[in-house]
Amino acid sequence: MTHPLEDDLFHLLPVPALRWPAHAPTHACPNHAYTRAFHPAGLPAPVTTWADGTHHTRLLTPSGDRRVCRLHLSTLPNTDRLLLIEDVHTYHLDPVTQLPTRDALLGDAAQTHGVTTLAALRLPTLRDHRQHLGDAPVDRALRHIARDLEQAAQRWSASAYHVGPHEFVLLSPHPLTPAGLAPLLRRAAQHLSALGRQPDICTGLADAPYDGRTLADLLAAAQDRAGTPSQPRGPLGLLRRLLRPAPTRHASLAL
């Protein structure tokens, strides 16, 4: 049994923390900082199977936000397991849209998550519009699209990412369908139309386990369906090469 003083110190830690006692390895004990910062059911289920070390994942807050966090997991001398949580969300936000970036997705890609559907959203290039209109209106359109994606992600208990200049990703624990995404695509098209741009937005959906059981497989399938080239130069192409996905053959969903 743990000494009462150790219990007091654990609960008074200034950072969010969880402890799994050796006599109850599946029962997580939160400290006060964790209870204030995160939802009781916000921790990914597989965390108890992770090895000691540093991990990244998204944690649910009481307000419904999904924060990018760095998790430090260790086994104590008495064989209790201790998890210290560092909120690194602000370090992984795109400066324009304030959505988590490719780095945040790379952190999530290192883990196995309960993702049911992955949606890859590819916008047309806006480089010419930046040259002719300036950065302000283009950035404003991207912020509007990101806001709509984030609001939809909250409704679906999903996670939204801005992974490239014109590329977004949604990870959802629930099935997503073309019909369900259609209103989101229409709003994005309206924001692009305000720039005088043809709204040729492509979206690829990938479902688990049909398209794969890992995030890497789902990402590859969604990119293929969105019409992403097999070896693009952009951030998603780098991520895909890092994850070494297998090729897929599916039709694309386009607006």
Side-chain angles (χ1 to χ4, degrees), residues 176-183 185 205 253:
L176 298 179
T177 64
L181 286 175
L185 295 180
L205 296 177
L253 166 68

PDB file of all heavy atoms in Angstrom, residues 176-183 185 205 253:
ATOM      1  N   LEU A 176     -18.099   8.798 -40.830  1.00  0.00           N
ATOM      2  CA  LEU A 176     -18.421   9.992 -41.597  1.00  0.00           C
ATOM      3  C   LEU A 176     -18.817   9.560 -43.006  1.00  0.00           C
ATOM      4  O   LEU A 176     -18.262   8.598 -43.540  1.00  0.00           O
ATOM      5  CB  LEU A 176     -17.232  10.945 -41.673  1.00  0.00           C
ATOM      6  CG  LEU A 176     -16.707  11.524 -40.352  1.00  0.00           C
ATOM      7  CD1 LEU A 176     -15.511  12.430 -40.606  1.00  0.00           C
ATOM      8  CD2 LEU A 176     -17.804  12.288 -39.624  1.00  0.00           C
ATOM      9  N   THR A 177     -19.758  10.256 -43.603  1.00  0.00           N
ATOM     10  CA  THR A 177     -20.260   9.917 -44.932  1.00  0.00           C
ATOM     11  C   THR A 177     -20.170  11.140 -45.838  1.00  0.00           C
ATOM     12  O   THR A 177     -20.102  12.277 -45.355  1.00  0.00           O
ATOM     13  CB  THR A 177     -21.723   9.450 -44.866  1.00  0.00           C
ATOM     14  OG1 THR A 177     -22.534  10.545 -44.414  1.00  0.00           O
ATOM     15  CG2 THR A 177     -21.873   8.268 -43.908  1.00  0.00           C
ATOM     16  N   PRO A 178     -20.181  10.927 -47.164  1.00  0.00           N
ATOM     17  CA  PRO A 178     -20.205  12.070 -48.076  1.00  0.00           C
ATOM     18  C   PRO A 178     -21.388  13.004 -47.802  1.00  0.00           C
ATOM     19  O   PRO A 178     -21.228  14.222 -47.854  1.00  0.00           O
ATOM     20  CB  PRO A 178     -20.319  11.407 -49.452  1.00  0.00           C
ATOM     21  CG  PRO A 178     -19.669  10.075 -49.274  1.00  0.00           C
ATOM     22  CD  PRO A 178     -20.030   9.643 -47.878  1.00  0.00           C
ATOM     23  N   ALA A 179     -22.550  12.435 -47.503  1.00  0.00           N
ATOM     24  CA  ALA A 179     -23.717  13.280 -47.210  1.00  0.00           C
ATOM     25  C   ALA A 179     -23.489  14.110 -45.954  1.00  0.00           C
ATOM     26  O   ALA A 179     -23.881  15.280 -45.889  1.00  0.00           O
ATOM     27  CB  ALA A 179     -24.956  12.402 -47.052  1.00  0.00           C
ATOM     28  N   GLY A 180     -22.853  13.510 -44.950  1.00  0.00           N
ATOM     29  CA  GLY A 180     -22.598  14.255 -43.724  1.00  0.00           C
ATOM     30  C   GLY A 180     -21.588  15.369 -43.911  1.00  0.00           C
ATOM     31  O   GLY A 180     -21.665  16.408 -43.239  1.00  0.00           O
ATOM     32  N   LEU A 181     -20.628  15.175 -44.826  1.00  0.00           N
ATOM     33  CA  LEU A 181     -19.612  16.187 -45.078  1.00  0.00           C
ATOM     34  C   LEU A 181     -20.060  17.252 -46.079  1.00  0.00           C
ATOM     35  O   LEU A 181     -19.432  18.308 -46.174  1.00  0.00           O
ATOM     36  CB  LEU A 181     -18.337  15.525 -45.614  1.00  0.00           C
ATOM     37  CG  LEU A 181     -17.484  14.757 -44.610  1.00  0.00           C
ATOM     38  CD1 LEU A 181     -16.335  14.066 -45.329  1.00  0.00           C
ATOM     39  CD2 LEU A 181     -16.951  15.683 -43.527  1.00  0.00           C
ATOM     40  N   ALA A 182     -21.135  16.980 -46.817  1.00  0.00           N
ATOM     41  CA  ALA A 182     -21.555  17.880 -47.888  1.00  0.00           C
ATOM     42  C   ALA A 182     -21.786  19.318 -47.414  1.00  0.00           C
ATOM     43  O   ALA A 182     -21.317  20.262 -48.063  1.00  0.00           O
ATOM     44  CB  ALA A 182     -22.804  17.332 -48.570  1.00  0.00           C
ATOM     45  N   PRO A 183     -22.497  19.552 -46.290  1.00  0.00           N
ATOM     46  CA  PRO A 183     -22.667  20.946 -45.849  1.00  0.00           C
ATOM     47  C   PRO A 183     -21.336  21.631 -45.541  1.00  0.00           C
ATOM     48  O   PRO A 183     -21.172  22.822 -45.817  1.00  0.00           O
ATOM     49  CB  PRO A 183     -23.528  20.807 -44.587  1.00  0.00           C
ATOM     50  CG  PRO A 183     -24.226  19.495 -44.741  1.00  0.00           C
ATOM     51  CD  PRO A 183     -23.247  18.608 -45.443  1.00  0.00           C
ATOM     52  N   LEU A 185     -18.457  21.001 -47.000  1.00  0.00           N
ATOM     53  CA  LEU A 185     -17.828  21.311 -48.288  1.00  0.00           C
ATOM     54  C   LEU A 185     -18.484  22.508 -48.957  1.00  0.00           C
ATOM     55  O   LEU A 185     -17.812  23.331 -49.582  1.00  0.00           O
ATOM     56  CB  LEU A 185     -17.890  20.095 -49.208  1.00  0.00           C
ATOM     57  CG  LEU A 185     -17.098  18.862 -48.766  1.00  0.00           C
ATOM     58  CD1 LEU A 185     -17.258  17.742 -49.775  1.00  0.00           C
ATOM     59  CD2 LEU A 185     -15.637  19.204 -48.574  1.00  0.00           C
ATOM     60  N   LEU A 205     -12.363   9.891 -48.148  1.00  0.00           N
ATOM     61  CA  LEU A 205     -12.756   9.247 -46.891  1.00  0.00           C
ATOM     62  C   LEU A 205     -12.148   7.851 -46.812  1.00  0.00           C
ATOM     63  O   LEU A 205     -12.107   7.123 -47.803  1.00  0.00           O
ATOM     64  CB  LEU A 205     -14.280   9.137 -46.791  1.00  0.00           C
ATOM     65  CG  LEU A 205     -15.074  10.440 -46.730  1.00  0.00           C
ATOM     66  CD1 LEU A 205     -16.563  10.136 -46.709  1.00  0.00           C
ATOM     67  CD2 LEU A 205     -14.679  11.252 -45.518  1.00  0.00           C
ATOM     68  N   LEU A 253     -13.890  11.418 -53.875  1.00  0.00           N
ATOM     69  CA  LEU A 253     -15.103  12.186 -53.625  1.00  0.00           C
ATOM     70  C   LEU A 253     -14.760  13.634 -53.855  1.00  0.00           C
ATOM     71  O   LEU A 253     -13.865  14.190 -53.232  1.00  0.00           O
ATOM     72  CB  LEU A 253     -15.561  11.989 -52.187  1.00  0.00           C
ATOM     73  CG  LEU A 253     -16.617  12.961 -51.651  1.00  0.00           C
ATOM     74  CD1 LEU A 253     -17.939  12.715 -52.353  1.00  0.00           C
ATOM     75  CD2 LEU A 253     -16.763  12.804 -50.150  1.00  0.00           C
TER      76      LEU A 253
END
